[in-house]
Amino acid sequence: MLVRSLTFRLKDPLPNEAKFLMEDFRLAVNNAIRLGIRSNVTSRFTLTKLAYKDFRKEHPGIYAQHLVSAFEVAGSILKNHRRRLRKKLPTQVPFVRRLFMKAENQAYKLDRENGIIDLPIKAGLHIQLELIISDYHRKYLDDESLSLGSMTLLSDRVVVTIRKHAPKPYAPASVLSLDTNERSLDGVLVKEDMIAAVVRAEFPEVSIIQSVHHDRRKRLQKKKSHDRRTAKRLCAREGKREHNRIDYRMHEVANAVLSFAEERRSIIVLEDLTGIRPSKGKKLNRRISFWPRRRLHQIIEYKAAWKGIPVVKVDPRYSSRKCPVCGSIQDSRKGAEFVCGCGWHMDRHLNASINLLQTAASEKAAGGLRFDPGAFQHDVVMVLCGPGRAVRPEPNGTSGIRAVA
Ligand SMILES: [Zn+2]
């Protein structure tokens, strides 16, 4: 089951009944958290058993389903807390400050036609919330293969989760193999054992954003060194901004890659980045963070699963140092071009993507497609050495990905 969340703005200010409900909900969550810590339980069922009766007495009006949902929220908060304790990470006794309430799909109704949510407060009292529906929302609401999940009500918006069964990935007609680098994805599109295009998706701004925010945080720490709390707060805000900016950019890159792959019915080959640590280079003072690349993979994989685009991830060991023709492994990974004694030479990033492709093929994950780099070496060299080759943007106007040749 795949889940995605949709955020809606509300047409009118929240009615008072909803505000009271949210306050009750928050109270129930916090009570259940305290109770859970005191009696050392995290399971929703035990929490419900322990807390339900008392809370029911104090708040006789609240709709029973909402109480159960409050205990569930408390349970997951407690689980997180416990996990942090176990891992000896810094943590405080959890306490919910934010005003919100969550309703499972049987505890509210959303009219997908006109965007009106019917939310029961207590017996005989329902409120209606009118959502502002954009074309983007419409696309999901009109899709009957999607079912509704939980709804979270916040003071200024509503988040509704939608679910669908993961579609069966299509049978690939081509392979898009991508090597993930600090500033770009570089790779090849292979069709019928031939390189059909050399592809690059660039995101040079990401490392710029990172270094700008890194410097800013450093400055903040210096300036606020007399006030650690403020420094911490401001740095956290900087970190959040950095995260949002990079995330936004990575979504764009992922969309470009996916629409490119979908049009050509490609299977996407990526390197498995788990366990890879950035190598300590000469510039020890500015470490290059890995998370934007991991995040990009996460987004690509998630969106691909939603659209039924097959993705395989392969072990990237030696991918930057191996010759795909003769198999010899080089010591250094310096220089923009990979040159091998056997005569093979190629842009280092593209060479890595071909190695990834070969690994995928040898692991028979790539849908039975076979690759023989020697066979298309000629074409590769043509692409890379051809002077003045026009770089054209994708006709569908997607940004960030360019097909050369
Ligand atoms: Zn070689």
Side-chain angles (χ1 to χ4, degrees):
M1 214 48 161
L2 299 170
V3 180
R4 196 164 211 178
S5 51
L6 289 178
T7 304
F8 298 90
R9 299 273 152 195
L10 291 164
K11 210 161 212 170
D12 306 305
L14 218 50
N16 278 332
E17 293 90 339
K19 284 183 195 156
F20 295 143
L21 175 65
M22 285 155 86
E23 277 168 18
D24 278 349
F25 191 88
R26 181 173 62 183
L27 198 61
V29 171
N30 283 327
N31 277 350
I33 288 173
R34 241 171 295 151
L35 196 71
I37 284 178
R38 221 185 309 136
S39 43
N40 204 25
V41 291
T42 49
S43 109
R44 171 172 61 101
F45 294 104
T46 326
L47 274 178
T48 310
K49 225 160 64 189
L50 283 172
Y52 187 80
K53 262 193 190 149
D54 282 347
F55 206 87
R56 193 91 209 132
K57 248 182 255 159
E58 287 164 40
H59 301 267
I62 189 168
Y63 185 56
Q65 292 258 20
H66 297 336
L67 264 188
V68 174
S69 157
F71 296 138
E72 192 166 323
V73 170
S76 71
I77 291 173
L78 280 168
K79 257 186 204 133
N80 256 324
H81 175 60
R82 228 63 7 123
R83 196 175 304 136
R84 292 187 72 85
L85 282 180
R86 227 184 8 248
K87 288 189 175 170
K88 301 201 163 52
L89 294 166
T91 181
Q92 293 171 327
V93 174
F95 182 80
V96 177
R97 281 183 185 81
R98 190 187 212 183
L99 207 53
F100 81 106
M101 73 92 40
K102 190 178 170 194
E104 290 309 322
N105 65 337
Q106 66 274 23
Y108 77 97
K109 275 200 195 81
L110 167 60
D111 186 325
R112 290 164 76 151
E113 191 64 41
N114 56 25
I116 291 175
I117 282 185
D118 179 282
L119 182 67
I121 304 281
K122 54 187 175 189
L125 178 62
H126 288 230
I127 54 165
Q128 263 80 39
L129 304 167
E130 195 171 349
L131 308 176
I132 297 171
I133 310 275
S134 70
D135 290 343
Y136 171 79
H137 294 126
R138 195 34 76 212
K139 207 170 66 192
Y140 292 101
L141 293 178
D142 289 349
D143 187 340
E144 281 168 16
S145 68
L146 304 173
S147 60
L148 297 174
S150 67
M151 177 217 72
T152 305
L153 178 62
L154 294 144
S155 48
D156 61 341
R157 61 191 187 274
V158 170
V159 182
V160 175
T161 59
I162 45 172
R163 304 177 297 193
K164 83 164 171 187
H165 291 287
K168 199 170 174 282
Y170 54 66
S174 59
V175 184
L176 179 62
S177 180
L178 297 169
D179 178 45
T180 310
N181 297 296
E182 196 192 327
R183 287 152 203 272
S184 57
L185 293 171
D186 304 83
V188 287
L189 175 78
V190 172
K191 218 172 162 180
E192 288 148 12
D193 292 5
M194 298 280 280
I195 289 190
V198 172
V199 173
R200 169 170 298 136
E202 292 167 318
F203 41 89
E205 338 56 64
V206 166
S207 61
I208 298 170
I209 294 171
Q210 282 191 309
S211 79
V212 165
H213 283 266
H214 175 84
D215 293 349
R216 240 185 242 171
R217 270 199 298 273
K218 263 196 155 164
R219 263 205 313 277
L220 268 172
Q221 264 159 354
K222 218 172 194 173
K223 223 165 124 190
K224 299 280 173 198
S225 56
H226 57 282
D227 183 356
R228 280 186 54 205
R229 263 184 64 191
T230 309
K232 212 174 143 187
R233 186 171 54 83
L234 292 175
C235 282
R237 196 174 66 181
E238 273 306 312
K240 208 169 173 185
R241 275 187 194 150
E242 176 188 352
H243 186 279
N244 288 343
R245 290 178 69 189
I246 291 175
D247 216 51
Y248 181 78
R249 182 69 192 128
M250 288 315 196
H251 270 277
E252 283 183 336
V253 174
N255 285 341
V257 167
L258 289 170
S259 68
F260 183 88
E262 196 175 26
E263 272 171 39
R264 290 155 186 84
R265 297 190 81 73
S266 313
I267 179 169
I268 299 174
V269 177
L270 296 171
E271 65 208 282
D272 187 352
L273 290 175
T274 46
I276 296 188
R277 300 267 153 260
S279 56
K280 279 184 188 143
K282 281 156 280 175
K283 293 187 219 158
L284 273 171
N285 50 351
R286 196 177 96 59
R287 86 196 151 83
I288 294 154
S289 140
F290 237 76
W291 78 259
R293 278 172 269 182
R294 290 215 175 91
R295 179 73 187 128
L296 177 59
H297 280 196
Q298 219 178 42
I299 298 170
I300 289 176
E301 282 180 272
Y302 178 78
K303 291 193 169 184
W306 188 271
K307 291 176 168 207
I309 301 170
V311 174
V312 288
K313 287 174 87 179
V314 297
D315 185 351
R317 217 178 325 164
Y318 306 127
S319 66
S320 56
R321 295 194 282 133
K322 203 171 93 181
C323 169
V325 177
C326 70
S328 70
I329 291 167
Q330 299 186 349
D331 292 335
S332 109
R333 55 179 92 192
K334 288 205 185 76
E337 204 178 45
F338 181 95
V339 183
C340 181
C342 73
W344 169 266
H345 59 107
M346 181 167 235
D347 173 273
R348 193 167 289 278
H349 294 329
L350 296 182
N351 190 65
S353 78
I354 290 178
N355 280 319
L356 295 174
L357 188 80
Q358 280 197 320
T359 311
S362 67
E363 285 171 359
K364 67 187 169 3
L369 284 147
R370 287 170 357 107
F371 316 103
D372 177 8
F376 52 60
Q377 182 174 17
H378 180 67
D379 302 271
V380 175
V381 175
M382 258 179 52
V383 171
L384 289 173
C385 300
R389 238 168 231 286
V391 176
R392 57 176 173 81
E394 273 303 288
N396 57 6
T398 50
S399 65
I401 192 162
R402 301 190 317 199
V404 189

